[in-house]
Amino acid sequence: YKRKVYPLEMLERRILKNILKQENINYIDTYDYFHGRLKENTSLKNIYMKNGHLSPKGNKLIFKAIIDSGFYWKKFLSMNYLGS
C-alpha cells in the first residue's frame, strides 16, 4: 500500500491470512515492514518511486522480510544440502 491502509483492507488481509493458514500455505507478509511494528523511520515516499515501483530502499525492506521469514532457510535445510 502506498498510502494509509483502511479498515476494509485490514479485514481483507485478515481473511486472506486465515485462508492461507487453513490451507497450510506458506507466505511472506511484508505489511509490518512498510506500515506496522517493523517499519523503519522512513516515509513511504522513500520506499516507492514515482512510477509506483519500489525504490532501492523498498527492495531492501522486501529482502529483509524474506530473510527474516526463514522460509527459504528452512526449505534449504529440509532439502539436506548440508550433507548431513
Side-chain angles (χ1 to χ4, degrees), residues 16-68:
L16 177 59
K17 287 171 75 172
N18 285 336
I19 291 169
L20 293 171
K21 186 175 182 177
Q22 287 172 355
E23 298 297 324
N24 200 27
I25 298 172
N26 293 323
Y27 64 96
I28 298 172
D29 188 358
T30 60
Y31 176 84
D32 279 341
Y33 291 85
F34 288 86
H35 300 283
R37 61 185 174 79
L38 299 172
K39 182 177 183 240
E40 297 178 3
N41 191 16
T42 189
S43 75
L44 291 177
K45 290 180 183 178
N46 292 331
I47 294 172
Y48 291 97
M49 297 186 296
K50 290 180 181 177
N51 65 5
H53 290 278
L54 290 171
S55 69
K57 174 70 174 175
N59 284 324
K60 286 180 183 177
L61 288 174
I62 295 293
F63 178 74
K64 182 166 176 36
I66 292 168
I67 295 300
D68 289 351

Side-chain angles (χ1 to χ4, degrees), residues 9-21:
E9 291 166 326
M10 293 305 294
L11 175 62
E12 290 170 343
R13 283 181 42 75
R14 213 169 26 252
I15 290 169
L16 177 59
K17 287 171 75 172
N18 285 336
I19 291 169
L20 293 171
K21 186 175 182 177

